[in-house]
Amino acid sequence: MTQPSVILATASYDHTIRFWEAKSGRCYRTIQYPDSQVNRLEITPDKRYLAAAGNPHIKLFDVNSNSPHPVMSYDSHTANVMAVGFQCDGNWMYSGSEDGTVKIWDLRAPGCQREYESRAAVNTVVLHPNQTELISGDQNGNIRVWDLTANSCSCELVPEVDTAVRSLTVMWDGSLVVAANNHGTCYVWRLLRGNQTMTNFEPLHKLQAHNKYILKCLLSPEFCDPHRYLATASADHTVKIWNVDGFTLEKTLIGHQRWVWDCVFSVDGAYLITASSDTTARLWSMSSGEDIRVYQGHHKATVCCALHDGAEPSSS
């Protein structure tokens, strides 16, 4: 198979993962995933593999093969895996689970290399751009920074007691972090470097973005600059686009008929892909706020999407 330059994948409660031609909307590959639902999808930086986070396994599929079988399974979580991502060179993977742990995996070796205890179901984990800190958010409302160099928790904060942190996102330059919760609120902090390497959170803004759950929040990528946006996907069926300069509402993306579970920006921030309980994924133009493509094929809620339309990291 020739490698597509744009890899777009979605997963659904119908126990399938689908790969799509982003422009035409054609589904060109379907992987059956009978073991469990898929909670999260992530593509490796080199575009070779797709990680599917299920219950309780993480499975890695070859993007450029037609094989229905995973090339690797990562098995030491004991409940739903809600977060998965990769270090920038693709050397290791991180995950967070409802079993209360954050784990780090060497992709070339079986088993988990490190484990951190959050003591509550982990809903979201992001890697700081410095590649040395993981930030997790859990069901009890805790946000924790895990310092991978010191191998310990370096910072802990609770923006709203007993309100689940649903999603975290960090600005590509490490300047901001946003946490979205079950009350539709986004908390925004400036990230400041302390004397050591420890990250300090300085409260910047509190945004009442939606009146229902926020299921995903996402800051725009580097190549979107100088424009900086925050996307918030919600149970109210909409995605809102906020200007990070002042957190004013730029656009509301209206078209999904049910909860919007996930979203991902194109590499230049010109487009947004969303996944919804209405079974569809959609491609939105950020400039017009209109949906320009609907990806139809799943039979139940589409709960996660992954997109990689950028360059692979250079091997030099």
Side-chain angles (χ1 to χ4, degrees):
M1 272 174 82
T2 56
Q3 168 110 359
S5 62
V6 176
I7 297 156
L8 169 60
T10 57
S12 162
Y13 285 164
D14 66 12
H15 292 280
T16 66
I17 298 167
R18 288 177 177 263
F19 288 85
W20 307 86
E21 287 175 357
K23 283 200 175 112
S24 72
R26 184 179 78 89
C27 172
Y28 64 86
R29 180 185 175 193
T30 303
I31 297 171
Q32 300 295 325
Y33 199 96
D35 298 16
S36 74
Q37 69 194 52
V38 176
N39 302 305
R40 185 66 61 209
L41 292 172
E42 196 69 45
I43 299 159
T44 55
D46 63 7
K47 294 188 182 177
R48 287 182 58 195
Y49 300 105
L50 175 78
N55 184 4
H57 314 289
I58 304 164
K59 295 189 189 297
L60 208 60
F61 293 92
D62 189 334
V63 166
N64 302 307
S65 130
N66 278 322
S67 168
H69 305 294
V71 293
M72 188 76 116
S73 182
Y74 302 90
D75 300 330
S76 72
H77 280 300
T78 57
N80 262 315
V81 182
M82 302 303 289
V84 66
F86 296 96
Q87 178 255 1
C88 64
D89 297 324
N91 293 333
W92 48 268
M93 175 174 75
Y94 60 88
S95 60
S97 164
E98 289 181 344
D99 65 15
T101 66
V102 173
K103 293 180 188 266
I104 291 180
W105 315 77
D106 185 324
L107 290 181
R108 297 153 303 195
C112 146
Q113 269 58 52
R114 289 194 197 177
E115 179 178 304
Y116 301 108
E117 283 281 348
S118 188
R119 302 189 295 281
V122 176
N123 293 324
T124 176
V125 183
V126 287
L127 177 60
H128 190 289
N130 63 21
Q131 308 294 306
T132 64
E133 290 170 308
L134 287 171
I135 308 173
S136 67
D138 71 28
Q139 195 65 18
N140 289 358
N142 304 297
I143 295 170
R144 292 191 174 91
V145 180
W146 307 95
D147 181 331
L148 305 183
T149 311
N151 206 23
S152 64
C153 178
S154 61
C155 179
E156 222 172 294
L157 56 142
V158 185
E160 223 173 294
V161 177
D162 290 335
T163 304
V165 176
R166 185 60 53 197
S167 181
L168 288 165
T169 179
V170 183
M171 187 60 84
W172 63 268
D173 61 1
S175 60
L176 293 179
V177 65
V178 180
N181 72 18
N182 271 358
H183 289 164
T185 311
C186 284
Y187 288 88
V188 186
W189 295 271
R190 270 200 194 89
L191 289 184
L192 304 171
R193 285 267 153 224
N195 301 332
Q196 279 70 45
T197 57
M198 199 178 101
T199 295
N200 294 314
F201 287 68
E202 179 188 275
L204 182 67
H205 197 77
K206 181 181 172 182
L207 176 69
Q208 192 56 46
H210 300 266
N211 292 323
K212 296 191 175 178
Y213 298 151
I214 298 174
L215 301 163
K216 173 85 172 195
C217 64
L218 188 64
L219 287 160
S220 56
E222 176 178 3
F223 298 115
C224 187
D225 270 25
H227 302 294
R228 294 189 165 197
Y229 300 113
L230 171 69
T232 55
S234 171
D236 68 11
H237 309 178
T238 71
V239 179
K240 291 183 179 178
I241 308 297
W242 308 85
N243 192 324
V244 170
D245 183 21
F247 290 92
T248 51
L249 182 63
E250 286 271 321
K251 289 184 177 68
T252 302
L253 309 184
I254 297 171
H256 281 301
Q257 305 301 308
R258 300 270 179 91
W259 290 21
V260 186
W261 283 95
D262 199 6
C263 61
V264 58
F265 281 103
S266 62
V267 69
D268 59 359
Y271 301 97
L272 189 76
I273 304 259
T274 55
S276 168
S277 296
D278 67 14
T279 76
T280 69
R282 289 174 190 251
L283 173 69
W284 305 82
S285 160
M286 287 287 287
S287 59
S288 70
E290 301 293 316
D291 58 342
I292 51 181
R293 184 72 63 243
V294 180
Y295 305 98
Q296 286 179 302
H298 285 299
H299 307 301
K300 291 185 178 174
T302 303
V303 292
C304 51
C305 52
L307 175 71
H308 190 336
D309 61 333
E312 300 91 63
S314 59
S315 52
S316 57

